[in-house]
Amino acid sequence: MTGKASNESQSSKHIVIALGGNAILKSHQRGIAEEQLENIRITCEQILDMIANGHNIIITHGNGPQVGNLLIQQEGAHSKVPAMPMDICGAMSQGQIGYMLEQVLHNLLQAKGINRDVLTVVTQVMVNSDDPAFRNPTKPVGPFYDAETKERYEREKNYIIKDVKPGNHRPFRRVVPSPNPLRILEAKALKRLVDAGIIIIASGGGGIPVAMDSKGNYHGVEAVIDKDLAGEKLAEAVIADLLLILTDVEKVFLNFGTPKQRALDLVRLEKAKAYQREGHFSPGSMGPKVEACLRFLEFGGERAIITSLDKASSALEGKTGTHFIP
Amino acid sequence: MTGKASNESQSSKHIVIALGGNAILKSHQRGIAEEQLENIRITCEQILDMIANGHNIIITHGNGPQVGNLLIQQEGAHSKVPAMPMDICGAMSQGQIGYMLEQVLHNLLQAKGINRDVLTVVTQVMVNSDDPAFRNPTKPVGPFYDAETKERYEREKNYIIKDVKPGNHRPFRRVVPSPNPLRILEAKALKRLVDAGIIIIASGGGGIPVAMDSKGNYHGVEAVIDKDLAGEKLAEAVIADLLLILTDVEKVFLNFGTPKQRALDLVRLEKAKAYQREGHFSPGSMGPKVEACLRFLEFGGERAIITSLDKASSALEGKTGTHFIP
């Protein structure tokens, strides 16, 4: 059924891989460096075959736990050193995660005798400062607060803070907007690098969100862009053939969590849009991933796949995963 | 006397610019983001003319205060979230500073109607794990400690801690090795980007120091590479024509701080080596800068210049600065 991908897997493709949070840090882990490096090793093992097969790989990744830890550290030490705003924390997490991915992947390639360069690029993603998301912040970030801290930060820092874990001792958390990504600022350079066969790590954590002011200047904004939607913009920037979104589940489901639940194998764009309109894909989890796939097909992409990390290679061979085609 | 540089300034050169710490954060400042962005704006104004004149610019920079703040934050919150090792903190600081430089420089170029891409690349620099520096750590990093903390960290973390401010309440500080940089791991990709006319920010903070183990794998090490010596390796990587080291002083002095003090204008390599042997350049400040210039000339570089940030343009025109030539 998904045999087309299999037939094509021998020719060289530009493939954007969007790694889910669990590719770098599992939810039960504290996040020490060794844990992250070991997770990344397992993740990169999955990607190795694609590179060995001659594909040009562009990796993007989440940064939730890492930037969360940074925000906790920034707040914890604010009496000693100034806390950085969210855009700068995002840039830090791109450096951190990119470095780990780059090093581990390089070592694995080296051991396999594959001589390919890997490069991490700090990536800014433009958003519209009029995006409706700025009027309705929804994305929780940073530490949990008690009622007293909540009120203080609302007063002192103008934070918008919501009750995200009702009944808990510290139920409150800051929420920030999650605006729509418009374009990758470093697009031209990224395209050049990918075309030269360099493996790229870019747009980490959905990219650093920046908006343009009336003078044409970019400046960072306090927001978090969905990493799969930003990954789709990255796929447009490098004119990728395939978008591969790796997450916790092997396939996307219709009627998820009901007795009528059914896995999707191959879906055409128009049919997928109908499923989307019918509300099959939850806004907090599968929704943005499916949306990223559909946007990629509308841009002209050949195929978008959602599957689990450990099925990446076999999904690319057409053996599993949910495949979206035009 | 330094007219050669002036005559050549019209043709397009590859110029590596090594920014001193004061280019990003002044020593009396706390380091809030706005201060850093404003300093960076003033710094980038100095570089703008070179770009307008068609030169290909590769920027490297220090990260002392930024990584220092990160280490304080990491330690301060260690009971809540795990502290990252120094190599990862270095990678974070590259993301942070690179992002700020890239954005500010892009905005200034845009305002001048100059359409050039700016890209920040996470950069690893290889060192030899047998480097004698590992047996004699000298570079102070992170917070100051009292005697109790000093003893605890020596015991628990195997830190080497020295009395760097004798007589103070918190006189102790961790010292790490400062090994010699051997090569930039991302060299090939960087060369390609520079040749394509993309303005590069790389090797921040002297690069992330990595060593190779017996299996050929790279891993991060707890060390700090001198940023000017790493900048020289960057100049080799991109086959730069000029190395421009920007610091606090307009010129290098012989017999600095004595009645016989004399500024250097133009020095040939062999003469400079003689001055170096005579001990004119202090190991803690001008020594590594002069050493970087001499290594660059020995590599085949055309000219290396040491001057102050505000004299960058006129030094490039041959009007001031200390110029080293083969």
Side-chain angles (χ1 to χ4, degrees), chain A residues 81 87 99 102 107 186 218, chain B residues 69 87 99 102 107 186 218:
Chain A
V81 295
D87 58 330
Y99 160 60
E102 178 178 333
N107 286 342
E186 295 78 7
Y218 293 110
Chain B
N69 281 353
D87 57 329
Y99 160 61
E102 177 178 332
N107 286 341
E186 295 78 7
Y218 293 110

Side-chain angles (χ1 to χ4, degrees), chain B residues 47-55 57 105 109 114 116 199:
Chain B
I47 297 170
L48 223 46
D49 275 350
M50 299 179 211
I51 300 170
N53 288 335
H55 295 304
I57 302 298
L105 186 55
L109 289 170
I114 300 171
R116 290 283 292 276
I199 298 164

